């Protein structure tokens, strides 16, 4: 067996190396006619000095151009980003930055077809390109929508107030300011568009500019998109720059406030992360590295079940989409030992239907790797894995390619291994072949499946396909600490499932250990990575002024007209209405019980109160809330359009018949709303604090209600 593989290594590697050498020579002859892909730096498109790196069409292996960053002044680019882009972005509110991203996403979506043809040259099929192009644009849309989760300010107010004193005159809170640095994104070659957009969507939303460094071999596609972004003039100048060639040395220029994100191989990541400048300037470095993800078949999902079929479909898709060059692709297929053969046969059958070839030809399901260098790398890894496990489907030499020359383009067949002793033959837990390569591993018990999943030493994602909730619970709780994301798939969610391999903009992407220990995306969580959290302390009036949110104990303004008489712009935080009082009676309780149908014993039966905290029949909390509305509402038609909800509501003290209640009704926070249609009227949301108090002035109920209020300015 070993001898066979050694001769295979030589027979596969030799022609690849020859082709590589030929392509390089070919490059020398053609460089005069080739396109030079440019860098976007300091507000201009700049061709790098010298010849730079030759770029190839992954399908035909023809040269398509060159990329060089020689002559760029990285330090100048970074300070330009901080001073020009950062200054403009930091002045914008979250709402303005969100609308800017929405405009960008709409623009890119309207011209999305432009990118597909060029994307084919990276070896991508239509589906692969869809993930890259439309998945990337979708990320911008998703981040734009997050503006609703932030205040109408350039900075964020984080969490709740912290009470720090007995009498409430000294409190604490947290604000989060955009970092005054630049986000430097160093990306992998596999998703030249998505890789950029999923990251810049987040830093731009936070108010931080970016410099993007795509992997050189596929930078031509990133360049095309950056040109469209720059031409659209939607982003403020200085908020996005691009380095198409090498970025060696760039980390030596980081300053406090910068953020570096890296996506790529663990070895490059570790080398960059160990740069002392990062430590000296306390710069955060987020690493997304290679990951030996797994998919687990539950013991219940035997052949014949819907879940077994789902598993086979999902694994085949994850092996072949983007020719397996996905950081989330399934590398290890963990199955009960009794069904190993069934899995092997079913997967082999599906893989055999994967037509490999030129993605522009109808019916082709899997394109090529990103280039011949990648083909050499994947081949070497396959041969390494083959030292300890057996190939049960696919071949490095014998496979068909449709519409292209198999020996020129970076094509490879899906390769399925079987490892019959996965606890002792451990290469599959250590070696990542970044292509359509995966290994079946048998397990005896669910504990063994968990152990095998954990042997990847930290992964971006794993999935378990089961319809048994006990198995799901045991697996997820056992495996979660070593995984960034876990998909539990069964028939009930399969139609709408986004799948094992798709990181979602609102969920965290990243994983512990080998996967780099980073975290990105994740909705609001991701945006916070680009903000500096600062604790602030002082009197509630001071903290109200800083947070633009009314803090209990802060000054209240009771002068002037009722707040319901004021338009959005006229309402100031702290404006307060002190209402009339109301005497709560037994009749109120009986009538409210009749009207609502809520006849809970504590409201209705005075003989049932033994062993409860109540001493008499207690008024319904919802009666107190309703009566409070009766007290604070100014009923005549005015700028207040509607009440659309309650954010939080607490009943803090029982109210008994004979007690009197009143309301302190205070403007707490204002959120301006954008117009969706031209004929819509201008309005905003005003949150009011409803503080209901008793005869002793003590709060019995505290709630925040949301009202929609018309603006004075309807232009
Ligand atoms: P790579 O060789 O590590 O390169 C990654 C990036 O680092 C490229 O842009 C590269 O630029 C740049 N780079 C290399 N040396 C540098 C230096 N000294 N200074 C600044 N930048 C430098 O990885 P790759 O081959 O592009 O990507 C494949 C790997 O990425 C796989 O292992 C895969 O698992 C991993 N990956 C992980 C994720 C994830 O989210 N976890 C996603 C995608 C891919 P040049 O191209 O100019 O060398």
């Amino acid at each position: 067996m070993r001898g066979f593989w050694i001769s295979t290594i030589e027979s596969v590697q030799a022609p690849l190396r020859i082709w590589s050498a030929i392509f390089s020579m070919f490059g020398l002859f053609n460089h005069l006619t080739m396109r030079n892909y440019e860098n976007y730096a300091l507000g201009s498109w700049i061709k790098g000095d010298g010849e730079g790196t030759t770029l190839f069409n992954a399908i035909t292996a023809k040269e398509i151009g060159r990329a060089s960053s020689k002559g760029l002044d990285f330090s100048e680019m970074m300070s330009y980003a901080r001073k020009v882009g950062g200054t403009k972005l930091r002045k914008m509110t979250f709402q303005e930055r969100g609308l800017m991203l929405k405009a960008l996403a709409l623009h890119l979506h309207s011209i999305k077809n432009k990118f597909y043809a060029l994307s084919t040259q990276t070896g991508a099929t239509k589906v692969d390109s869809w993930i890259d192009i439309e998945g990337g644009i979708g990320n911008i849309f998703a981040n734009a929508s997050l503006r609703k989760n932030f205040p109408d300010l350039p900075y964020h107010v984080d969490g709740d107030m912290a009470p720090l004193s007995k009498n409430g005159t000294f409190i604490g809170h947290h604000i989060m300011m955009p970092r005054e640095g630049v986000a430097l994104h160093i990306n992998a070659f596999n998703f030249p568009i998505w890789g950029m957009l999923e990251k810049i969507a987040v830093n731009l939303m936070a108010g931080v500019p970016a410099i993007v460094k795509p992997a050189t071999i596929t930078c031509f596609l990133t360049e095309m998109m950056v040109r469209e972004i720059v031409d659209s003039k939607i982003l403020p100048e200085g908020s996005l720059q691009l380095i198409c060639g090498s970025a060696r040395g760039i980390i030596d220029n980081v300053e406090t406030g910068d953020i570096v994100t890296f996506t790529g191989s663990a070895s490059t990541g570790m080398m960059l992360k160990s740069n002392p400048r990062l430590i000296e300037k306390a710069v955060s470095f987020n690493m997304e590295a290679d990951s030996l993800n797994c998919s687990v078949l539950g013991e219940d999902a035997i052949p014949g079940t819907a879940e077994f079929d789902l598993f086979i479909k999902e694994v085949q898709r994850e092996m072949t989409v983007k020719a397996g060059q996905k950081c989330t692709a399934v590398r290890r297929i963990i199955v009960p030992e009794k069904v190993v053969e069934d899995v092997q046969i079913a997967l082999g059958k599906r893989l055999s239907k994967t037509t490999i070839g030129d993605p522009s030809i109808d019916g082709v399901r899997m394109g090529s790797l990103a280039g011949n260098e990648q083909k050499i790398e994947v081949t070497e890894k396959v041969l390494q894995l083959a030292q300890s496990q057996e190939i049960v489907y696919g071949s490095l030499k014998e496979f068909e390619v449709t519409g292209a020359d198999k020996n020129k383009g970076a094509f490879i067949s899906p390769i399925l291994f079987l490892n019959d002793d996965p606890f002792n033959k451990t290469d599959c837990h250590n070696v990542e072949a970044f292509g359509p390569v995966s290994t079946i591993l048998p397990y005896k018990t669910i504990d063994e499946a968990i152990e095998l999943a954990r042997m990847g030493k930290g992964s971006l994602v794993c999935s378990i396909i089961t319809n048994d909730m006990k198995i799901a619970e045991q697996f997820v709780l056992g495996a979660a600490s070593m995984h960034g994301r876990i998909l539990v798939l069964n028939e009930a969610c399969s139609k709408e499932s986004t799948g094992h391999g798709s990181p979602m903009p609102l969920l965290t992407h990243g994983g512990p250990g080998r996967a780099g220990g980073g975290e990105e995306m994740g909705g609001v969580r991701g945006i916070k990575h680009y903000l500096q959290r600062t604790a602030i302390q002082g009197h509630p009036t001071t903290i109200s002024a800083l947070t633009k949110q009314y803090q209990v104990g802060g000054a209240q303004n009771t002068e002037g007209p009722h707040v319901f008489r004021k338009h959005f712009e006229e309402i100031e935080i702290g404006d307060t209405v002190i209402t009339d009082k109301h005497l709560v009676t037994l009749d109120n309780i009986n009538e409210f019980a009749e009207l609502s149908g809520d006849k809970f014993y504590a409201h209705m039966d005075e003989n049932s109160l033994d062993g409860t905290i109540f001493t008499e029949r207690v008024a319904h909390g919802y009666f107190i809330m309703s009566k409070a509305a009766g007290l604070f509402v100014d009923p005549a038609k005015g700028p207040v359009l509607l009440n659309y909800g309650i954010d939080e509501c607490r009943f803090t003290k029982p109210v008994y018949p004979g007690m009197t209640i009143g309301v302190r009704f205070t403007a707490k926070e204002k959120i301006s709303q954008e117009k969706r249609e031209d004929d819509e009227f201008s309005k905003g949301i005003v949150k009011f604090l409803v503080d209901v108090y008793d005869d002793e002035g003590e709060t019995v109920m505290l709630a925040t209600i949301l009202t929609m209020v018309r603006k004075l300015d309807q232009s």
Side-chain angles (χ1 to χ4, degrees):
M1 187 66 149
R2 246 182 116 77
F4 165 76
W5 280 113
I6 289 165
S7 69
T8 310
I9 294 175
E10 284 158 2
S11 61
V12 171
Q13 283 178 326
L16 281 175
R17 294 234 156 81
I18 292 166
W19 274 114
S20 249
I22 292 171
F23 300 145
S24 312
M25 280 163 55
F26 186 68
L28 287 179
F29 295 125
N30 280 285
H31 74 273
L32 290 175
T33 54
M34 286 189 307
R35 163 98 209 272
N36 275 299
Y37 292 93
E38 293 180 321
N39 308 284
Y40 187 66
L42 313 174
S44 307
W45 284 100
I46 298 173
K47 214 186 295 177
D49 300 337
E51 290 192 341
T53 308
T54 310
L55 310 180
F56 297 97
N57 178 323
I59 302 295
T60 61
K62 283 204 178 113
E63 280 186 43
I64 55 170
R66 288 181 167 274
S68 164
S69 58
K70 208 165 159 209
L72 291 185
D73 185 333
F74 295 146
S75 163
E76 216 185 325
M77 283 175 76
M78 293 175 89
S79 70
Y80 178 76
R82 293 180 203 110
K83 283 193 194 125
V84 179
T87 305
K88 288 181 195 141
L89 287 167
R90 286 195 298 274
K91 281 193 187 134
M92 297 168 77
T93 65
F94 278 100
Q95 316 305 310
E96 288 167 336
R97 295 194 290 253
L99 289 176
M100 170 187 81
L101 287 183
K102 187 177 169 189
L104 182 65
L106 286 168
H107 171 65
L108 295 176
H109 193 261
S110 72
I111 55 166
K112 64 184 183 189
N113 292 336
K114 280 189 181 183
F115 305 105
Y116 276 87
L118 194 60
S119 177
T120 309
Q121 300 195 19
T122 68
T125 61
K126 189 139 192 230
V127 170
D128 302 339
S129 300
W130 180 85
I131 298 172
D132 195 25
I133 300 163
E134 301 193 45
I137 297 170
N139 244 289
I140 309 186
F141 273 121
N143 275 278
S145 295
L146 293 174
R147 65 191 183 279
K148 294 171 192 121
N149 299 60
F150 289 95
D152 194 9
L153 296 169
Y155 56 94
H156 181 53
V157 179
D158 190 42
D160 296 328
M161 173 273 278
L164 299 175
S165 61
K166 208 170 153 197
N167 297 320
T169 60
F170 186 66
I171 62 168
H173 217 309
H174 291 89
I175 54 171
M176 298 187 81
M177 305 299 292
R179 289 180 188 261
E180 296 194 19
V182 53
L184 171 63
H185 301 307
I186 301 174
N187 288 342
F189 65 80
N190 54 344
F191 287 111
I193 289 183
W194 182 88
M196 168 174 69
L197 297 186
E198 59 102 355
K199 289 193 170 79
I200 65 164
V202 185
N203 63 258
L204 290 172
M205 191 61 190
V208 176
I211 295 178
V212 174
K213 158 44 193 146
T216 303
I217 58 162
T218 51
C219 71
F220 52 91
L221 187 52
T222 320
E223 195 238 36
M224 185 186 200
M225 178 147 278
V226 172
R227 275 189 192 278
E228 294 296 343
I229 295 175
V230 170
D231 290 351
S232 76
K233 297 193 167 36
I234 292 170
L235 301 184
E237 180 47 49
S239 39
L240 177 64
Q241 296 179 81
L242 173 74
I243 300 171
C244 270
S246 164
R248 273 164 188 65
I250 196 164
I251 303 238
D252 299 337
N253 302 287
V254 295
E255 293 290 350
T256 302
D258 293 344
I259 301 103
V260 181
T261 74
F262 170 82
T263 302
S265 60
S267 55
T268 312
M270 275 188 277
M271 180 267 290
L272 295 176
K273 196 176 179 177
S274 54
N275 188 315
R277 178 87 178 181
L278 294 167
I279 301 167
E280 189 192 328
K281 298 288 175 184
V283 168
S284 73
F285 185 96
N286 192 74
M287 181 154 144
E288 303 291 343
D290 43 58
S291 166
L292 290 160
N293 316 295
C294 61
S295 189
V296 180
L297 181 66
E299 279 181 291
D300 58 309
I302 52 171
T305 60
E307 278 71 27
F308 182 85
D309 295 343
L310 276 173
F311 177 77
I312 298 297
K313 211 166 140 189
E314 193 74 11
V315 171
Q316 181 263 347
R317 189 172 55 209
E318 286 306 323
M319 281 182 72
T320 56
V321 166
K322 192 69 196 172
Q325 300 164 112
K326 262 171 56 178
C327 54
T328 50
V330 172
R331 306 281 173 218
R332 298 173 303 142
I333 308 163
I334 302 177
V335 304
E337 65 177 4
K338 61 182 182 206
V339 296
V340 163
E341 206 180 328
D342 300 279
V343 169
Q344 192 181 313
I345 293 168
L347 252 182
K349 225 180 196 170
R350 267 195 89 94
L351 288 170
S352 68
K353 291 186 187 138
T354 308
T355 311
I356 308 164
D358 179 345
S360 55
I361 289 175
D362 267 357
V364 167
R365 294 274 171 270
M366 189 172 101
S368 68
L369 299 175
N372 277 302
E373 260 180 50
Q374 278 62 44
K375 185 167 170 178
I376 292 170
E377 258 184 50
V378 174
T379 302
E380 282 172 356
K381 295 289 169 60
V382 167
L383 297 172
Q384 192 181 341
L385 287 167
Q387 307 282 316
S388 57
Q389 46 189 43
E390 179 195 357
I391 292 183
V392 291
Y393 178 86
S395 156
L396 287 172
K397 290 179 80 183
E398 305 300 323
F399 61 96
E400 297 286 315
V401 165
T402 303
D405 185 339
K406 160 174 150 179
N407 296 315
K408 285 190 180 166
F411 295 102
I412 189 163
S413 149
I415 303 277
L416 183 63
F417 283 102
L418 172 64
N419 180 335
D420 57 7
D421 188 8
F423 286 99
N424 293 307
K425 298 176 181 173
T426 54
D427 280 351
C428 63
H429 306 296
N430 297 314
V431 177
E432 182 205 38
F434 202 56
V437 183
S438 206
T439 305
I440 299 174
L441 323 174
Y443 73 84
K444 287 191 178 67
T445 62
I446 190 73
D447 284 334
E448 275 198 9
I450 293 168
E451 188 51 32
L452 288 172
R454 296 173 69 94
M455 284 173 81
K457 299 176 198 65
S459 309
L460 293 172
V461 54
C462 76
S463 48
I464 174 149
I465 288 70
T466 179
N467 198 27
D468 182 322
M469 297 314 123
K470 284 216 169 74
I471 291 179
E473 184 184 346
Q474 199 181 342
F475 180 81
V476 171
L477 301 186
S481 67
M482 292 297 273
H483 294 85
R485 176 166 62 88
I486 301 182
L487 161 72
V488 182
L489 186 63
N490 62 11
E491 195 185 13
C493 70
S494 62
K495 285 212 170 66
E496 292 195 298
S497 161
T498 47
H500 167 106
S502 307
M504 301 308 291
L506 299 184
L507 299 182
T508 296
H509 175 57
R514 178 188 176 115
E519 246 192 35
E520 58 176 29
M521 304 206 288
V524 169
R525 293 173 196 85
I527 293 167
K528 287 184 178 175
H529 290 153
Y530 294 92
L531 303 172
Q532 171 62 46
R533 185 182 285 108
T534 305
I536 49 170
Q537 296 168 281
H539 188 273
T541 303
T542 314
I543 303 299
S544 298
L546 292 172
T547 57
K548 310 283 184 261
Q549 290 175 6
Y550 177 74
Q551 307 297 336
V552 174
Q556 294 175 323
N557 168 33
T558 53
E559 300 296 312
H562 189 286
V563 282
F564 275 29
R565 300 290 109 219
K566 295 183 181 179
H567 287 86
F568 183 80
E569 300 91 324
E570 297 166 321
I571 297 173
E572 299 280 342
I573 301 303
D575 279 358
T576 299
V577 172
I578 305 288
T579 69
D580 292 342
K581 304 261 172 89
H582 172 81
L583 176 67
V584 177
T585 65
L586 211 50
D587 281 351
N588 287 158
I589 298 177
N590 290 332
E591 284 160 18
F592 190 80
E594 274 314 311
L595 188 64
S596 66
D598 175 356
K599 295 184 180 171
F600 187 64
Y601 69 89
H603 308 308
M604 306 308 290
D605 181 3
E606 63 197 351
N607 298 319
S608 71
L609 303 176
D610 269 3
T612 74
I613 61 156
F614 303 113
T615 52
E616 299 176 49
R617 286 174 62 186
V618 66
H620 300 70
Y622 303 118
F623 168 72
I624 303 298
M625 180 71 232
S626 308
K627 190 63 210 171
L631 293 170
F632 67 66
V633 162
D634 183 303
K637 188 171 179 182
V640 177
L641 298 163
L642 53 95
N643 168 2
Y644 88 97
I646 301 174
D647 256 5
E648 62 244 348
C649 179
R650 292 281 180 281
F651 306 118
T652 51
K653 188 177 172 187
V655 177
Y656 299 117
M659 285 169 67
T660 305
I661 54 167
V663 185
R664 292 180 281 252
F665 185 64
T666 305
K668 183 178 173 185
E669 194 182 346
K670 290 166 62 177
I671 302 160
S672 179
Q673 283 198 320
E674 69 243 24
K675 276 187 179 187
R676 289 210 185 85
E677 308 286 340
D678 280 351
D679 57 356
E680 215 177 75
F681 46 81
S682 300
K683 58 194 180 331
I685 301 300
V686 181
K687 294 186 183 182
F688 286 98
L689 184 73
V690 184
D691 177 5
V692 184
Y693 61 98
D694 63 12
D695 320 64
E696 288 152 16
E698 273 187 38
T699 297
V700 297
M701 191 206 86
L702 207 57
T704 299
I705 65 151
L706 295 90
T707 59
M708 190 181 280
V709 182
R710 187 187 279 270
K711 286 184 181 168
L712 205 52
D713 178 4
Q714 287 295 319
S715 56

